[in-house]
Amino acid sequence: QKEVEQNSGPLSVPEGAIASLNCTYSDRGSQSFFWYRQYSGKSPELIMSIYSNGDKEDGRFTAQLNKASQYVSLLIRDSQPSDSATYLCAVNRGAQKLVFGQGTRLTINP
Amino acid sequence: DTGVSQNPRHKITKRGQNVTFRCDPISEHNRLYWYRQTLGQGPEFLTYFQNEAQLEKSRLLSDRFSAERPKGSFSTLEIQRTEQGDSAMYLCASSLGTQPEAFFGQGTRLTVV
């Protein structure tokens, strides 16, 4: 079992809809969770971090964490074509060393 | 620009040659990380420094790879006797030890021919 698992997609969502991205992790002791966005050929860009159970909202983005289920999700409201990218879920395994999932490729269709 | 800076952005080298990459972290960040990313995969941790001390190396980091951060500021990653399997994006990230977030540079794309 991989430490961090994501559905690789591609996930296709119409413009204006809600995109829902999911991630599971295996280490129950994990405390910090991150979502990075990566455009093709570019480096990962941090968009959300979450540390406590529940929801965290930042603009059109909402991160959700359920430690009991070892599950992290990212919701993107009012999806825009510029949101088309690969979204990487990452878990901090100490000293900010990150373990990444393989990423979910998201396409927003105009 | 106060972000993480990596040079060169692209490197094409022949198999067997040595290459060196440089990373300049965000100025106040004391932790620096190297990751490798291949197509269709997430980044994989290679090694990290706290100030000038290299504190952890992944099993992915074979003895052909060496990293340094001599004065606790910029870092270099050297690959000796490159192989085609070394072709990847090499990413550098930095963080402030008191904060949980890490920020990535633009990466160096290595192609070994």
Side-chain angles (χ1 to χ4, degrees):
Chain A
Q1 181 186 7
K2 292 184 179 180
E3 284 190 66
V4 180
E5 297 209 51
Q6 296 180 255
N7 187 326
S8 61
L11 176 64
S12 186
V13 173
E15 184 175 356
I18 296 175
S20 178
L21 303 157
N22 304 315
C23 171
T24 58
Y25 60 94
S26 61
D27 184 356
R28 251 183 207 286
S30 301
Q31 297 294 322
S32 307
F33 307 86
F34 306 91
W35 285 98
Y36 285 81
R37 178 176 62 199
Q38 187 172 30
Y39 293 114
S40 181
K42 304 296 185 184
S43 64
E45 173 193 9
L46 180 64
I47 55 170
M48 289 290 286
S49 56
I50 188 165
Y51 314 112
S52 305
N53 278 329
D55 295 0
K56 178 182 177 182
E57 187 174 317
D58 184 359
R60 295 187 296 112
F61 298 98
T62 298
Q64 300 174 317
L65 173 61
N66 184 326
K67 289 185 179 180
S69 301
Q70 296 174 242
Y71 179 91
V72 192
S73 65
L74 179 70
L75 301 177
I76 306 174
R77 290 182 300 282
D78 188 22
S79 297
Q80 303 297 310
S82 59
D83 295 326
S84 298
T86 295
Y87 288 81
L88 296 162
C89 173
V91 176
N92 182 352
R93 63 174 179 85
Q96 294 112 331
K97 299 186 302 292
L98 300 174
V99 178
F100 286 87
Q102 68 179 91
T104 297
R105 188 156 53 96
L106 174 66
T107 301
I108 306 301
N109 300 310
Chain B
D1 187 347
T2 58
V4 180
S5 177
Q6 292 188 245
N7 286 288
R9 298 289 304 277
H10 303 274
K11 179 72 177 177
I12 300 175
T13 190
K14 292 184 178 179
R15 191 172 48 188
Q17 298 294 305
N18 299 343
V19 294
T20 299
F21 311 139
R22 176 177 171 128
C23 171
D24 288 88
I26 294 170
S27 60
E28 65 270 24
H29 284 187
N30 58 340
R31 288 182 175 167
L32 185 150
Y33 311 81
W34 286 99
Y35 291 82
R36 179 172 66 190
Q37 186 177 25
T38 54
L39 200 61
Q41 302 298 315
E44 295 174 297
F45 169 78
L46 294 178
T47 188
Y48 96 98
F49 293 83
Q50 180 158 309
N51 301 313
E52 65 275 9
Q54 188 175 17
L55 295 187
E56 185 173 337
K57 293 193 289 186
S58 163
R59 288 172 296 173
L60 294 174
L61 211 65
S62 77
D63 56 7
R64 295 185 298 106
F65 288 69
S66 62
E68 294 183 341
R69 193 182 184 199
K71 297 183 180 178
S73 56
F74 73 92
S75 175
T76 58
L77 177 68
E78 181 184 16
I79 309 174
Q80 297 182 325
R81 305 181 303 281
T82 52
E83 302 173 355
Q84 286 189 319
D86 297 330
S87 295
M89 174 84 89
Y90 289 84
L91 294 161
C92 176
S94 70
S95 72
L96 190 58
T98 56
Q99 301 293 325
E101 296 87 1
F103 300 92
F104 283 84
Q106 319 95 309
T108 295
R109 181 167 297 283
L110 173 67
T111 303
V112 181
V113 297

